[in-house]
Amino acid sequence: MNKRLYIPVLAACAFIVSCQGNKTEEGKAVAPVEVIATPSPIADSSSDLQASSPEIADKSITVKETDTISLKGYILHFSPSQKTTFPSIFDDFKERQRVSKGMDYYDGVQAVEKMLLAKWADFCSIKDSMLVLKLDNGKTVSLPQWDKEKEMGHNLEHFFPRQNYYLVHVPFTEGNTWLLVNKKNGFKKYICGLPHFSPDGQSVITASFDLEAGYNFNGMEYLKVQGDSLTEEWRLEIGNNWGPSNIMWSGKSTVLVKRRTFEEEVNHAPGKNLVSKLVMTKK
């Protein structure tokens, strides 16, 4: 199939999930997980939240505008919030727009990669159709620009110097995801969407939406930084009534989520600019 059939998704999108099931880090399908219970309405205190929130499995669940969910040892508090601006995680966002202006999605991704390879030529390169990432230990990680057998590719997307992680865009024949590679030791972690590191650098949250095609994951994922690796704490797949089109930290355990509705995405209805506040509390 033609690589140019990729479905464009916003900066908050990511981990590939088809209508038939999720994908693991190696692209293998996993069986759907049964939803144990629907969440209860939001309570007034921390003790009420713990008592009124039945645990759910990380499978698709409809999340209401005001909701409380218990998931993988966390209480997730959703509530409406005021409209706000969601900044890009890329400090060179305007330059990315300039080099990819007027291009289709795939050509734009490659144009940005070319710019980044020139910028970080000391530790990133393309050799023999492989993306080569240098590590601090003297070794390298090599990823195919396109793997015909697996129908997936790899393009350099960013480098986070503070966290010491490469970010790699991973296109599939239909849909896409992202990959974080630790520059120190080569640790790799496929993630659902673009990574938003917390203010203290100890957590990562991602958001991805796909309400129409169903090629990508529709929901959020929360990870903890464990030394030079990442551990997934929870992943919440949201039903198709809305999707998180963008996300940003507003505190140590609080994020703001831009909600895009099914009507906006599929029926091209006027944008509602809905924003939710998500407070994450460890049980």
Side-chain angles (χ1 to χ4, degrees):
M1 298 180 71
N2 196 320
K3 291 186 288 181
R4 296 177 182 269
L5 295 178
Y6 304 152
I7 305 300
V9 288
L10 298 180
C13 16
F15 193 76
I16 181 74
V17 170
S18 69
C19 297
Q20 288 75 36
N22 293 343
K23 294 276 188 175
T24 65
E25 293 182 8
E26 296 300 325
K28 299 179 181 178
V30 295
V33 181
E34 180 183 359
V35 176
I36 298 175
T38 55
S40 304
I42 195 164
D44 294 327
S45 69
S46 176
S47 59
D48 290 337
L49 287 169
Q50 303 240 5
S52 65
S53 303
E55 185 78 7
I56 67 166
D58 54 341
K59 184 53 186 168
S60 180
I61 183 170
T62 298
V63 179
K64 299 184 289 292
E65 186 176 24
T66 299
D67 224 338
T68 302
I69 299 172
S70 178
L71 177 63
K72 295 290 187 69
Y74 284 83
I75 300 295
L76 309 182
H77 322 255
F78 286 90
S79 61
S81 185
Q82 295 180 340
K83 299 176 183 178
T84 186
T85 301
F86 289 81
S88 172
I89 64 170
F90 304 123
D91 51 11
D92 55 358
F93 179 69
K94 291 184 178 179
E95 182 67 7
R96 291 167 181 259
Q97 285 187 311
R98 185 188 66 80
V99 300
S100 61
K101 185 177 180 179
M103 298 181 181
D104 64 23
Y105 181 66
Y106 179 69
D107 287 341
V109 167
Q110 291 202 315
V112 169
E113 180 184 50
K114 183 178 179 180
M115 177 192 78
L116 298 178
L117 289 172
K119 180 179 179 180
W120 297 315
D122 289 342
F123 45 88
C124 306
S125 63
I126 299 293
K127 184 177 181 180
D128 298 329
S129 299
M130 303 288 287
L131 172 63
V132 181
L133 308 176
K134 292 183 180 180
L135 305 180
D136 295 340
N137 59 14
K139 298 181 180 180
T140 61
V141 170
S142 296
L143 303 165
Q145 290 183 286
W146 184 252
D147 187 322
K148 291 183 179 179
E149 182 177 343
K150 294 183 178 180
E151 295 188 332
M152 62 186 292
H154 299 86
N155 299 102
L156 181 65
E157 180 81 14
H158 194 57
F159 173 64
F160 297 95
R162 178 186 171 193
Q163 292 80 15
N164 208 29
Y165 270 97
Y166 294 106
L167 176 64
V168 178
H169 175 253
V170 184
F172 293 84
T173 302
E174 293 174 321
N176 64 344
T177 188
W178 277 265
L179 171 68
L180 282 170
V181 180
N182 188 283
K183 188 174 181 290
K184 182 177 180 180
N185 61 1
F187 168 83
K188 296 187 287 293
K189 176 67 175 176
Y190 285 91
I191 54 177
C192 296
L194 290 175
H196 295 255
F197 286 90
S198 61
D200 62 6
Q202 297 305 303
S203 304
V204 181
I205 196 158
T206 76
S208 172
F209 83 103
D210 187 349
L211 300 174
E212 184 173 10
Y215 295 129
N216 292 338
F217 183 81
N218 191 73
M220 290 168 282
E221 176 188 38
Y222 179 61
L223 307 102
K224 280 287 190 180
V225 176
Q226 302 288 347
D228 299 316
S229 65
L230 297 165
T231 302
E232 181 184 295
E233 295 288 290
W234 54 259
R235 187 188 303 169
L236 178 65
E237 184 178 355
I238 300 170
N240 67 354
N241 60 321
W242 68 275
S245 64
N246 214 329
I247 197 166
M248 72 175 185
W249 290 91
S250 62
K252 185 177 180 180
S253 58
T254 304
V255 296
L256 297 178
V257 184
K258 187 173 183 179
R259 298 166 54 206
R260 187 168 175 84
T261 66
F262 184 86
E263 290 75 21
E264 290 176 278
E265 176 69 8
V266 179
N267 300 329
H268 307 290
K272 297 181 180 180
N273 293 319
L274 300 175
V275 177
S276 289
K277 180 173 71 173
L278 168 58
V279 179
M280 299 171 284
T281 305
K282 183 77 170 176
K283 286 184 179 180

